[in-house]
């Protein structure tokens, strides 16, 4: 039995198109740290070292007990505010009286953020902790091999593509308006039966149009588009686009992500 416990809200089986679920799934397998869903937890096994990811469905009394454990945090959002969306405030600065879960961060062995910008938002809000930036999140070798193979297939169309998401934060409506206002020929691409099919369809387009409302911690969608030799029309207000490596594309970007992912896993292991 593993001495590690990986705690999060949902698995990649439940949300197969979720970026954070993909990250959690790979890390848990790489570290032999079985995932336990928050809704299945009634108490903590203090003999285990815990890895916490999403905890929005964890009972409040259990959230308050996390600082008593030995643990790290793989952060995907901003749990220091009830909405997890500090971007709703000017300059992403949350009023001091609305900050929460500060002990969660202060008492962790390490808090791993997805990108430098993700970490900077914590620091700007004065949240204390041992923050370590993953720079570009983590991809599995299988994921990167898939992107490399799809990236050599060529384009089926020079139409623009928009991710058709029901999540208001992804702001599909604005991307559609942009294309219509600029007379751009576009198609909507919704979730597919599996990840391979989704990426395969996206790879056939020349350009992704994506205007997220939120200050996303990273955003795998736009990074994977760049891996697939796609142009991206987007905003420069979230983790991926604010990273220096975002100018890379194709094999060069895939090689960077492979190297950084290996370094990130090694960094996580050092804090277990």
């Amino acid at each position: 039995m593993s001495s590690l416990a990986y705690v999060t809200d949902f698995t990649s089986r439940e949300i197969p198109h979720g970026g954070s679920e993909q990250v959690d799934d790979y890390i848990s397998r790489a570290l032999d740290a079985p995932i336990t869903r928050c809704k299945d937890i009634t108490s903590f096994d203090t003999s285990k070292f815990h890895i916490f990811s999403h905890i929005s469905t964890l009972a409040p009394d259990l959230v308050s007990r996390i600082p008593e454990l030995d643990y790290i945090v793989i952060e995907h959002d901003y749990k220091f505010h009830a909405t997890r969306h500090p971007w709703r405030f000017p300059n992403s600065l949350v009023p001091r009286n609305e900050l929460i879960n500060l002990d969660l961060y202060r008492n962790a062995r390490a808090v791993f953020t997805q990108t430098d910008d993700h970490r900077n938002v914590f620091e700007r809000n004065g949240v204390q902790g041992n923050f370590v930036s993953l720079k570009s999140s983590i991809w599995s070798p299988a994921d990167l091999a898939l992107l490399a193979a799809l990236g050599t297939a060529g384009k089926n169309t020079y139409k623009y593509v928009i991710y058709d998401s029901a999540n208001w934060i992804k702001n599909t409506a604005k991307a559609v308006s942009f294309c219509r206002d600029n007379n751009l020929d576009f198609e909507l691409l919704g979730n597919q039966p599996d990840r391979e099919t989704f990426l395969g369809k996206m790879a056939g387009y020349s350009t992704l149009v994506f205007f997220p409302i939120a200050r996303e911690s990273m955003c795998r969608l736009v990074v994977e588009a760049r891996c697939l030799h796609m142009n991206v029309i987007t905003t420069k207000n979230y983790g991926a686009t604010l990273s220096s490596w975002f100018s890379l594309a194709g094999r060069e970007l895939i090689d960077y992500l492979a190297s950084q992912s290996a370094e990130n896993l090694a960094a996580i292991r050092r804090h277990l």
Side-chain angles (χ1 to χ4, degrees), residues 242-262:
L242 291 170
S243 298
S244 60
W245 49 261
F246 193 66
S247 60
L248 303 176
R251 187 76 229 189
E252 192 175 10
L253 176 55
I254 290 171
D255 288 345
Y256 169 79
L257 296 176
S259 175
Q260 192 62 46
S261 294

Side-chain angles (χ1 to χ4, degrees), residues 41-272:
I41 298 175
T42 56
S43 62
F44 292 122
D45 182 348
T46 57
S47 69
K48 291 182 178 289
F49 186 93
H50 285 76
I51 302 169
F52 288 99
S53 176
H54 291 294
I55 57 171
S56 62
T57 59
L58 188 64
D61 62 311
L62 292 174
V63 173
S64 67
R65 290 197 55 200
I66 292 176
E68 302 170 10
L69 304 172
D70 202 6
Y71 66 98
I72 61 172
V73 177
I74 305 294
E75 186 61 284
H76 296 286
D77 49 32
Y78 304 92
K79 289 184 260 296
F80 59 81
H81 189 260
T83 67
R84 294 179 288 134
H85 294 304
W87 53 268
R88 293 180 172 183
F89 300 94
N91 299 316
S92 295
L93 286 174
V94 172
R96 297 297 298 175
N97 65 334
E98 294 187 29
L99 292 175
I100 62 173
N101 292 328
L102 297 182
D103 285 345
L104 168 73
Y105 299 109
R106 184 182 298 114
N107 292 298
R109 282 200 193 183
V111 179
F112 292 91
T113 63
Q114 298 299 302
T115 57
D116 288 351
D117 179 67
H118 191 199
R119 179 188 59 195
N120 291 343
V121 174
F122 283 87
E123 294 177 345
R124 189 178 303 125
N125 279 276
V127 181
Q128 300 297 311
N130 180 23
F131 288 92
V132 180
S133 171
L134 297 173
K135 303 290 185 184
S136 57
S137 194
I138 294 180
W139 269 260
S140 71
D143 246 354
L144 295 176
L146 173 64
L147 290 166
L150 293 174
T152 62
K155 304 301 177 187
N156 299 324
T157 176
Y158 285 94
K159 291 182 179 180
Y160 295 71
V161 66
I162 296 169
Y163 177 39
D164 189 10
S165 174
N167 185 345
W168 65 277
I169 285 177
K170 303 304 181 184
N171 207 7
T172 298
K174 182 175 180 180
V176 169
S177 295
F178 175 86
C179 288
R180 286 176 175 165
D181 291 345
N182 290 278
N183 296 314
L184 302 177
D185 192 6
F186 72 94
E187 291 181 350
L188 295 171
L189 176 62
N191 290 333
Q192 301 297 309
D194 53 62
R195 179 168 166 73
E196 290 79 3
T197 303
F198 178 84
L199 290 175
K201 286 181 177 293
M202 189 169 76
Y205 293 92
S206 65
T207 305
L208 171 70
V209 182
F210 182 63
F211 299 125
I213 293 174
R215 187 173 189 145
E216 300 209 3
S217 58
M218 212 281 299
C219 186
R220 289 171 72 92
L221 177 69
V222 297
V223 178
E224 289 169 347
R226 295 293 294 152
C227 289
L228 296 170
H229 296 280
M230 296 176 67
N231 297 316
V232 177
I233 299 176
T234 188
T235 49
K236 201 167 185 179
N237 66 339
Y238 57 95
T241 58
L242 291 170
S243 298
S244 60
W245 49 261
F246 193 66
S247 60
L248 303 176
R251 187 76 229 189
E252 192 175 10
L253 176 55
I254 290 171
D255 288 345
Y256 169 79
L257 296 176
S259 175
Q260 192 62 46
S261 294
E263 289 184 21
N264 289 338
L265 272 178
I268 292 171
R269 285 192 176 99
R270 288 195 295 270
H271 287 86
L272 299 181

